[in-house]
Amino acid sequence: TAPIGNENIGLAARCLSAFRGAKEVRVTAFMGLKSTCRHRFTKSLTKEEEELRWLELQHAIENPKAALIFHLHNHYALIFGWRILELRGQPLRRQILTARTGQEPAHWVDWEVDHSHPTNSGGTVVRKSVRTTLRTWIGHQIMMLEVPAFASKKAQVNPVVKRVTQYLKQTQDEDQEPEEEEGEDLSHVQEVELPDGADDEGGNSSGEEPES
């Protein structure tokens, strides 16, 4: 995921939006370690500040005009939902629904608790929480894609978005062009006269054209 980069993921989303003729999509670094993130997630956060980050994430997930992409370990995936899990005799577990592999909503990832599991080979697999993931590396972020309520009239079209959109439209037009059908080569076929009562492949033995 590092060679791709969060910026290129955002650029791809903007290109796809422009190609489909939809409203312009704004992509922002919503939460992470980097200083440009809307909500920074550093190791120096207090317990109260971490609580606020969780609330901000809840509100963002519930926003019907936004989508969140989680850059976790070697993977990008959408965030589909959140929940607070209450088990008897255990502390509350706050989780988000995403995908550690693939793109289907398949894994409930804990917000603040890491988990480890033994492997068949005798090793250990660590499932990092959202908090640990965001604080491990500046590239691990939660990105927000949203449609601004008001589009700026002064905003200039990104030249890269423009070129990619033109290329996608050109490719689409080429794919939609009908191909010329080539007639079957019958030069090797000889005409023969069918004997009386013989059936052709159409099942017509009269020698006459079948009625429509």
Side-chain angles (χ1 to χ4, degrees), residues 30-31 39 41 49-68 79-85 92-97 108-109 111-112 130 134 142 144:
F30 179 74
M31 190 174 293
H39 302 287
F41 210 107
E49 289 172 331
E50 288 190 7
E51 293 292 331
L52 291 176
R53 298 295 188 275
W54 169 249
L55 293 176
E56 291 290 350
L57 182 57
Q58 284 185 26
H59 296 157
I61 294 173
E62 295 172 355
N63 185 351
K65 294 186 178 181
L68 298 178
I79 297 177
F80 299 93
W82 66 271
R83 72 179 180 181
I84 298 179
L85 189 63
L92 296 178
R93 294 175 60 182
R94 296 176 290 187
Q95 300 175 321
I96 63 170
L97 180 59
W108 285 102
V109 179
W111 165 252
E112 56 191 340
V130 177
L134 294 178
I142 295 176
M144 174 179 279

Side-chain angles (χ1 to χ4, degrees), residues 11-19 24 156-170:
L11 182 62
R14 295 174 61 188
C15 291
L16 184 60
S17 175
F19 170 66
E24 181 182 358
Q156 297 181 351
V157 179
N158 186 306
V160 177
V161 174
K162 185 176 180 179
R163 289 199 300 270
V164 172
T165 304
Q166 290 175 344
Y167 171 78
L168 292 175
K169 290 182 178 179
Q170 179 182 353

Side-chain angles (χ1 to χ4, degrees), residues 106-181:
H107 304 106
W108 285 102
V109 179
D110 275 80
W111 165 252
E112 56 191 340
V113 180
D114 298 337
H115 297 278
S116 60
H117 306 280
T119 63
N120 295 331
S121 59
T124 302
V125 175
V126 178
R127 298 299 186 186
K128 295 180 180 179
S129 64
V130 177
R131 179 178 66 173
T132 300
T133 301
L134 294 178
R135 297 193 305 187
T136 300
W137 178 50
I138 60 174
H140 289 157
Q141 296 177 7
I142 295 176
M143 295 174 288
M144 174 179 279
L145 285 65
E146 57 185 336
V147 178
F150 301 98
S152 174
K153 295 182 179 180
K154 297 181 180 180
Q156 297 181 351
V157 179
N158 186 306
V160 177
V161 174
K162 185 176 180 179
R163 289 199 300 270
V164 172
T165 304
Q166 290 175 344
Y167 171 78
L168 292 175
K169 290 182 178 179
Q170 179 182 353
T171 303
Q172 183 185 52
D173 292 341
E174 291 176 354
D175 291 341
Q176 292 178 348
E177 289 181 0
E179 298 182 358
E180 294 184 1
E181 296 184 359

